[in-house]
Amino acid sequence: MQILSFECREEEKDFLLADLAEAGTLGVQETARHGGGWLLEAWFEDCAEGLAEKFGNRGATLSRPEAVDWVAVSRAQWRALEAGDRLFLAPSWDRAPTPEGRLRLVMPPGTAAGTGLHAATRLALAGLERTLRPGESVLDLGTGSGILAAAARLLGAGRVVACDIDPDAAAAAHQYLEGRAQVFAGSCRSLRDASLDVVAANLSPQAFSVVAGEIARLLKPGGRAVLSGSPEAKRAMVSRVAGGAGLVETGAIEIGRASCRERV
Ligand code: SAH
């Protein structure tokens, strides 16, 4: 791969782009120059011949792109972090030791929503930590990557069910969870009334409004829902919908996006 670079005036640019296309460029990056004009950087396969001569009268130069380690670049976006009081989320390649007293949860690979890097997911994790008692049954409603289901299992849940209306997310969760939960594509309508101790739902306010009644239906008396995913501005609306479905607020986690509600 090589890059042909040169500057040109505004009125020349379109003609030069056409010339570069004719010369077989793979793509051109156009950067506006302070004070007018453009820097054109055209990418070519290694075998492109006579290029510098063709555009030589403009002072064109040929260079090779710097080798970029894209694996390292992508990994740098991920970092191990603490969630709640008991969890430690870490990418699979991270060697950072697990802080004392915490449980290590390997982050899902990122093909579906829910790596743990998003605040709403971490609040849902903290909510689960707070409310889940050992052996209880859990539904991860809108599982995305499967992260809440995995955390529920790690925190000592008994039966764990996870579902997502997006079949690709359900497939990703199934792969990540490796048997730690029963995963299915779809919403929760097929689950039995009063069959769950805890429902964890990190959903947008709109998505929550659709399933609030279902969440209340699924919870056993005394069951608890961990609701996350609503921006502060929508919190009153979500509280109203939850209250209308019979879910009574029992606590909120400080940033105010996740809250735990109990069925009455
Ligand atoms: N649980 C993960 C992902 C949350 S993103 C986490 O906490 O990070 C929300 C997910 O909910 C998306 O994957 C979306 O497809 C799913 N979803 C939205 N409405 C749903 C519904 N009615 N039933 C099941 N899944 C739903």
Side-chain angles (χ1 to χ4, degrees):
M1 203 67 78
Q2 48 190 350
I3 307 171
L4 180 77
S5 315
F6 56 87
E7 293 193 3
C8 71
R9 297 194 305 276
E10 171 74 38
E11 60 274 22
E12 298 172 311
K13 185 161 72 85
D14 286 347
F15 294 107
L16 286 164
L17 288 175
D19 288 346
L20 288 166
E22 203 168 294
T25 184
L26 301 169
V28 184
Q29 184 169 326
E30 307 167 30
T31 312
R33 291 317 229 173
H34 290 299
W38 292 83
L39 168 67
L40 300 184
E41 292 170 291
W43 293 61
F44 288 91
E45 293 284 7
D46 276 342
C47 56
E49 274 174 24
L51 273 177
E53 294 75 50
K54 208 169 185 175
F55 296 89
N57 58 346
R58 329 197 127 261
T61 56
L62 269 177
S63 59
R64 293 202 174 271
E66 273 175 43
V68 177
D69 180 348
W70 291 111
V71 172
V73 169
S74 140
R75 287 186 169 186
Q77 328 266 327
W78 296 61
R79 61 199 190 284
L81 42 90
E82 297 181 353
D85 295 329
R86 294 176 56 202
L87 294 170
F88 180 66
L89 304 180
S92 57
W93 59 85
D94 198 299
R95 297 282 158 262
T98 309
E100 212 181 310
R102 287 188 179 265
L103 299 164
R104 191 180 195 93
L105 181 59
V106 173
M107 285 176 177
T111 47
T115 56
L117 297 176
H118 198 282
T121 304
R122 289 207 301 284
L123 284 163
L125 290 168
L128 256 183
E129 237 182 37
R130 221 181 247 204
T131 200
L132 180 65
R133 298 176 204 129
E136 285 189 326
S137 52
V138 177
L139 167 67
D140 175 1
L141 176 56
T143 190
S145 62
I147 191 167
L148 301 183
R153 173 67 72 211
L154 198 59
L155 293 166
R159 175 178 176 233
V160 181
V161 184
C163 68
D164 202 294
I165 44 172
D166 173 356
D168 291 338
H174 180 73
Q175 200 171 1
Y176 165 67
L177 287 163
E178 294 179 316
R180 284 174 285 175
Q182 291 167 255
V183 185
F184 65 92
S187 197
C188 51
R189 283 196 200 94
S190 56
L191 297 171
R192 267 190 302 118
D193 291 3
S195 57
L196 294 152
D197 295 301
V198 173
V199 174
N202 176 14
L203 297 173
S204 68
Q206 293 76 6
F208 171 67
S209 305
V210 175
V211 290
E214 285 290 292
I215 293 176
R217 177 185 71 77
L218 291 169
L219 287 172
K220 294 177 185 172
R224 282 138 283 128
V226 175
L227 307 175
S228 182
S230 319
E232 190 58 37
K234 294 279 167 130
R235 200 154 180 263
M237 184 273 252
V238 168
S239 286
R240 221 174 25 251
V241 172
L247 298 163
V248 176
E249 185 153 340
T250 56
I253 297 172
E254 61 259 39
I255 318 178
R257 286 217 206 135
S259 58
C260 302
R261 290 157 202 283
E262 205 162 34
R263 187 188 178 197
V264 280

